[in-house]
Amino acid sequence: WCDLKGQSSGAEGLLDALARQLGVLPDLASVQTYLEQQTTALWLVIDDYSRATDNARDGVLNTLLLCTSHLVQWWIASRRRPSCQLMRLLLERKLLELGARELALSDSELKQVLDHEALELAAVDAQQLMDSTGGWYAGVRLHLHGQWLGLGPDHPQSRLMVEHYLESEVLASLPAQWREWLSTLACLPAFDAALCEQMVGKGEGDRLLRQLQETGLLIDASSAGRYCVQPAVAHLFSTRVTLAQRRALLNHACQYCIAADQVHEAIEYALLARQDDVAVSVLRTITLDRLLQGQELAKVLHWCETLPAQMSSHSPELLALFAWAQLLAGRLDAAQRWTDRLQRLISTLLDINRL
């Protein structure tokens, strides 16, 4: 068991830690020979592999991974994906790689943890715990530590313990520019590479996204090509942005999505920025032809059900769009209700024009 504690000890530090456990000289040839000639089953655990990029150290690890006996099983825990020939090992079916998403607790696994610790949480508190941590195990344990002290899962002291852990174990070594950019991205529920580039500056977004992905903890893939800042980290950074700054960032993201014809993302950002008139304006651009494409119908039905009634009450185009959506979905009663509202609005507008 080699606990490297995330330190940047270089190639020599890695070889020294391995040599101490294996009982050989601390040089590459000695360690490599021992692992190549291993004749009995051996589990070799490297815990908290260095978080800083070091090509020489990663090169030594790569050499050892490729040359060791089939009886040697490597277990490597790292917040950063080492620069090794992992794809080759994957193709040879010698690698099982688990990322933050796979390691996150599911609802049922959280229940098992609670049962094991003899703790009881109301369903709403358990869901709140999952939402605030994203299933991140260390975050869950820190929140539960507060529970053992008689504090609720959302008690300020519980959140403070998580924040202190993140600051000391994860964020302290980040460059100041990264922290500023994370504060920006934490305000967005999701983003792709192009939006990241737009928000943090041309030429910086793609590089930042790659670097954040390397950290393993800071960013999650929410879907194909889209990302979000890990919930616990997002909460910490978003609280450092003023309400005015947050709205300005959301407006910026909204305008970008409008220009990129990302209609539903633009609507989401407009609503988060409390720009209801912008959200209505964007919704009105959805045509009947577009409604029949891909997932557009499902998305418009979602807005039918979630938008406040007053947002659509003065827009004939929006009422007609919602009526068509309900009709195409086979919801005849709902379609009739939207049609009746449209008819009443048109009658009111005609009466006003006569006056």
Side-chain angles (χ1 to χ4, degrees), residues 97-149:
E97 189 171 11
L98 301 176
R101 180 170 291 272
E102 292 82 12
L103 292 172
L105 295 176
S106 64
D107 291 335
S108 60
E109 289 168 338
L110 174 60
K111 185 178 184 306
Q112 291 177 22
V113 172
L114 295 174
D115 290 343
H116 182 266
E117 300 295 341
L119 291 172
E120 291 187 13
L121 286 183
V124 64
D125 289 335
Q127 187 58 52
Q128 187 179 56
L129 182 57
M130 285 294 290
D131 292 342
S132 65
T133 62
W136 172 44
Y137 186 68
V140 168
R141 297 291 298 184
L142 287 168
H143 275 288
L144 293 182
H145 181 72
Q147 188 79 2
W148 294 324
L149 298 177

Side-chain angles (χ1 to χ4, degrees), residues 1 24 26 37-38 79 105 110 114 119 123 136 151 153 164 189 221 224 235 241 249 254 261 289 309 318 335 347:
W1 186 289
V24 298
Q37 298 176 356
Q38 183 68 16
R79 291 177 185 162
L105 295 176
L110 174 60
L114 295 174
L119 291 172
W136 172 44
L151 307 176
H164 283 167
H235 174 77
V241 178
L249 291 169
C254 175
D261 198 31
D289 287 342
L318 202 53
S347 297

Side-chain angles (χ1 to χ4, degrees), residues 322-323 326-327 331-339:
F322 287 170
Q326 298 290 356
L327 185 61
R331 303 174 182 178
L332 302 185
D333 291 342
Q336 185 62 57
R337 288 194 295 273
W338 285 104
T339 303

Side-chain angles (χ1 to χ4, degrees), residues 243-298:
L243 182 59
Q245 290 172 325
R246 180 181 177 85
R247 287 183 177 176
L249 291 169
L250 290 168
N251 276 323
H252 186 183
C254 175
Q255 293 305 314
Y256 166 80
C257 290
I258 290 174
D261 198 31
Q262 297 175 1
V263 172
H264 296 280
E265 289 83 357
I267 295 168
E268 182 178 14
Y269 291 132
L271 292 173
L272 289 172
R274 298 185 181 179
Q275 298 290 327
D276 293 356
D277 55 335
V278 176
V280 170
S281 177
V282 176
L283 263 171
R284 288 165 56 184
T285 66
I286 300 177
T287 63
L288 180 58
D289 287 342
R290 182 166 185 161
L291 198 59
L292 298 172
Q293 299 173 9
Q295 297 296 314
E296 289 296 309
L297 178 58

Side-chain angles (χ1 to χ4, degrees), residues 10 12 94 101 131 139 145 160-161 188 204 213 225 237 258:
E12 295 79 8
K94 295 179 179 179
R101 180 170 291 272
D131 292 342
H145 181 72
L160 193 60
M161 284 189 289
L188 307 179
E204 299 290 350
Q213 284 178 282
F237 275 102
I258 290 174

Side-chain angles (χ1 to χ4, degrees), residues 76 80-82 86-87 90 94-100 102-103:
I76 302 175
R80 180 184 64 85
R81 196 172 191 263
L86 300 180
M87 188 56 66
L90 185 64
K94 295 179 179 179
L95 173 68
L96 174 62
E97 189 171 11
L98 301 176
E102 292 82 12
L103 292 172

